[in-house]
Amino acid sequence: MVTRKRDCPALHSTASPSKLSQRGDRAMLQSTLAASIPNQLPEPDIAQVIQWRDSSYAADLYIAAVSWLDLFTYLDQTPATEAELRGHFQIKARPTRTMIRLFESWGLLANVDGKLLVTASARRYLSRSSSENISSYIATMKYKSSVREIYDVLRLDAPDTWHVERGDTTNWDALMQTDDFADLNTRGMEERGRIFAPDLARLLDCAQDTAVLDVGGGSGVYSAHLLNRYPNLSATIFERPPVDQLAMRCLAERKLTAARARVIAGDMFVDPFPQTASLHLYSHVLHNWGPEKVQLLLDKSYQSLLPGGRVAVYSCHPDDRGGRSAPVAEAEYSVLLTTGYEGCCYSFEDMRSLMEGAGFQHVDYRKSICNRSLITARKLASSSN
């Protein structure tokens, strides 16, 4: 296979000065026309634009639960624990937890002393015991391919739902080792990073740090924003081929020299981490992986961080402190992650348990924009590797 040279998606432009001028004229005209149109409805902000993408699988999970499981009829007749629910339907733990969090956020289920109960609305409209139920209407969509795929994820916990022609490969992890798929995904994550990286840099105080290891750092967009804010900080992007090559081009085009930013090619699950960093960053990384792999990575970080160093995890983390339900947008995003990847939106309590399991202490939670949050924890200064 011929590998084409990939440019940094955020910085590369082939537009001539005349074309840029034409674009400017067009933009001015569009702005003038837009100002003349009566604005009767509020326009979406960036949070809404992102949520439309992140929530795209939630409705399919809802249809699968109603049509393939008849979930609400069962729970209306037999309130059950999560374990009992899994046993009855023979479904797996990870997607079941995602499903429960979604329906709790939607107000369809309630957890009372460990038992899952249907709410009044779920009983009225989604239980076949009710004369007002519309379960059959919802079930008219059960044979959509995306609904059936989610049902298979519930039963098998196998998120091989990528319709990409790469031989027999349908697994996201394997596809990310092919040039075109990795290029598309890295470009998409770069664009997302342009939205979130400035706020991460605002939340994550690196004034006392000397070096950050950006694990699975993609194009390096998050590190770049940290370096711009903290001139005494250096960064190492730890990425697997072929993404490492794109990261090197992006850093070069951002004028970040080797003294401040470099790329190490490696598999984060297999290859050792350098032991020179006071901060390890996982931005939109851990949510792609199951808890065993997340624990492995946190263990590696704890062992390789300098004494007193920190781990920082930036993603979507429902704040479940005090037993509160996940917000709707975060529960819906978790469905996408559960369907296409090995992970989910780990809640604050999930992450605290995993971090403390690795030995970290002083776990802290800070809200960011667009339903994201930053969780940090510290390695004790007296700890040895």
Side-chain angles (χ1 to χ4, degrees):
M1 179 175 62
V2 177
T3 302
R4 62 184 178 87
K5 181 178 179 180
R6 295 181 297 281
D7 300 299
C8 181
L11 305 174
H12 184 67
S13 174
T14 57
S16 65
S18 62
K19 288 184 178 179
L20 290 173
S21 176
Q22 292 171 6
R23 289 178 185 175
D25 293 342
R26 249 195 332 268
M28 184 176 297
L29 176 60
Q30 290 169 348
S31 177
T32 303
L33 291 173
S36 66
I37 299 173
N39 188 12
Q40 298 178 342
L41 296 174
E43 294 186 5
D45 60 10
I46 187 60
Q48 181 61 70
V49 172
I50 290 173
Q51 186 180 346
W52 284 328
R53 180 263 190 192
D54 289 353
S55 65
S56 57
Y57 274 90
D60 288 331
L61 177 56
Y62 165 65
I63 295 168
V66 172
S67 60
W68 288 103
L69 300 182
D70 198 9
L71 175 72
F72 298 99
T73 301
Y74 168 70
L75 288 177
D76 182 24
Q77 298 171 350
T78 313
T81 65
E82 183 177 329
E84 290 168 343
L85 185 71
R86 294 200 310 267
H88 177 79
F89 289 111
Q90 293 297 293
I91 52 181
K92 301 298 185 180
R94 182 182 68 103
T96 298
R97 188 71 195 106
T98 294
M99 178 178 70
I100 291 171
R101 282 179 171 169
L102 176 68
F103 296 150
E104 287 177 339
S105 78
W106 282 4
L108 297 176
L109 292 181
N111 189 320
V112 179
D113 297 328
K115 290 282 189 178
L116 295 168
L117 285 70
V118 297
T119 63
S121 292
R123 178 178 296 109
R124 181 178 182 182
Y125 299 120
L126 301 175
S127 170
R128 295 188 185 276
S129 302
S130 167
S131 61
E132 297 182 83
N133 90 86
I134 58 167
S135 301
S136 294
Y137 173 65
I138 293 167
T140 59
M141 295 288 102
K142 71 183 291 185
Y143 294 109
K144 282 178 53 186
S145 60
S146 56
V147 173
R148 181 61 200 227
E149 283 175 351
I150 286 190
Y151 178 49
D152 289 341
V153 170
L154 283 166
R155 294 186 306 112
L156 306 173
D157 197 13
D160 296 344
T161 56
W162 297 91
H163 297 276
V164 184
E165 294 183 5
R166 296 291 184 274
D168 296 329
T169 298
T170 56
N171 177 275
W172 175 81
D173 185 30
L175 288 167
M176 278 297 290
Q177 298 177 62
T178 62
D179 282 341
D180 290 345
F181 190 88
D183 184 55
L184 171 63
N185 275 265
T186 304
R187 287 172 179 270
M189 299 310 104
E190 164 74 29
E191 292 173 359
R192 178 178 64 182
R194 296 204 305 263
I195 303 299
F196 291 109
D199 204 55
L200 169 63
R202 177 185 66 85
L203 292 173
L204 185 57
D205 185 354
C206 300
Q208 303 302 315
D209 289 296
T210 56
V212 56
L213 180 68
D214 192 351
V215 185
S219 68
V221 59
Y222 294 97
S223 285
H225 278 264
L226 290 175
L227 295 180
N228 287 337
R229 190 179 183 95
Y230 297 100
N232 295 323
L233 188 68
S234 64
T236 299
I237 316 300
F238 197 95
E239 258 298 357
R240 184 172 56 182
V243 179
D244 64 317
Q245 297 299 312
L246 181 59
M248 284 190 279
R249 292 194 178 97
C250 286
L251 293 176
E253 292 189 32
R254 287 187 167 104
K255 307 284 191 263
L256 291 170
T257 64
R260 296 213 64 202
R262 64 183 181 128
V263 178
I264 294 180
D267 185 327
M268 62 186 179
F269 295 114
V270 176
D271 297 315
F273 292 161
Q275 299 190 1
T276 55
S278 60
L279 174 67
H280 282 193
L281 174 63
Y282 295 90
S283 183
H284 292 98
V285 172
L286 297 186
H287 65 203
N288 292 331
W289 307 102
E292 296 83 6
K293 290 184 178 180
V294 172
Q295 190 69 72
L296 185 153
L297 291 173
L298 291 173
D299 288 345
K300 287 184 66 177
S301 285
Y302 190 85
Q303 293 301 317
S304 57
L305 272 166
L306 295 174
R310 295 176 299 157
V311 63
V313 181
Y314 186 79
S315 182
C316 178
H317 303 110
D319 184 0
D320 56 348
R321 289 174 291 185
R324 70 186 77 175
S325 299
V328 170
E330 297 171 29
E332 291 177 344
Y333 183 31
S334 195
V335 181
L336 181 148
L337 295 172
T338 302
T339 303
Y341 307 85
E342 297 177 25
C344 63
C345 286
Y346 291 103
S347 71
F348 170 77
E349 294 294 350
D350 292 336
M351 287 306 307
R352 178 161 67 178
S353 176
L354 290 162
M355 287 175 165
E356 290 178 347
F360 289 103
Q361 297 187 15
H362 308 301
V363 182
D364 182 59
Y365 180 93
R366 301 188 70 186
K367 289 295 292 182
S368 183
I369 60 173
C370 302
N371 305 303
R372 269 38 172 198
S373 53
L374 173 68
I375 299 179
T376 58
R378 188 174 294 277
K379 177 180 179 177
L380 293 181
S382 59
S383 296
S384 58
N385 295 339

